[in-house]
Amino acid sequence: MFKKTTILILLLIITHCIPVRGQHIAINNNLLFDVAGAFSAGVEIPLMNSNSLELYGSIRPWKRGDEEVHKHWTVQAQYRLWPCQVMNGFFWGPYVHGGQFNIGNETLPFGLLKGLKPNRYEGWFLGGGIGVGYEYALAKHWNIGGEIGAGYTYINYKKYACEVCGILRDEGKYNYIGISRIGLSLIYVF
């Protein structure tokens, strides 16, 4: 009896918090990840009271060339609060992210993993923060949006002696505080 009651309560909560109208779901693509050579896609679902939930992912499964390595996958989730209208105008909200990476012979933005140029780093990360952004309606179904977020990211890595090969040089942990989410997205709203 307890199990059936719990399932019924969870179903009622889900059906009342997430509208099932298809015209309110949005899919998006971060154009900055496209420029960097990664596939990216996200889905945003409106919730009650001018809030929404975005689930987003990015993957880059190949090397840049013989001298450079830049492979990664990442997933992100963000709870967005919209002061006026969902999926139009200003928003802000907390986010979490995580993923894995294998990067060598590159320089990352914001001073992340200094010394990357002569070495290769492999590992995983997990973190979160607060993001702010703005979406602008271009047409009935098309939006464009920008976002920036700052927070904390815990990075666990192994450092190798050269860009594409090498012996293990070091293992460590890195605590990063700063810009951890940035995007310029093209959005289709159903």
Side-chain angles (χ1 to χ4, degrees), residues 154-174:
Y154 172 82
I155 302 169
N156 188 307
Y157 67 89
K158 292 181 180 177
K159 181 178 175 182
Y160 293 90
C162 72
E163 307 81 41
V164 293
C165 62
I167 59 171
L168 181 63
R169 217 183 229 182
D170 189 18
E171 291 184 59
K173 296 161 182 48
Y174 186 77

Side-chain angles (χ1 to χ4, degrees), residues 109-113 151-155 174-180:
F110 315 117
L112 189 61
L113 292 176
Y152 168 78
T153 303
Y154 172 82
I155 302 169
Y174 186 77
N175 295 297
Y176 172 76
I177 297 174
I179 303 295
S180 58

Side-chain angles (χ1 to χ4, degrees), residues 10 24 75 117 131 157 173:
L10 286 174
H24 293 294
V75 292
K117 199 69 167 165
Y157 67 89
K173 296 161 182 48

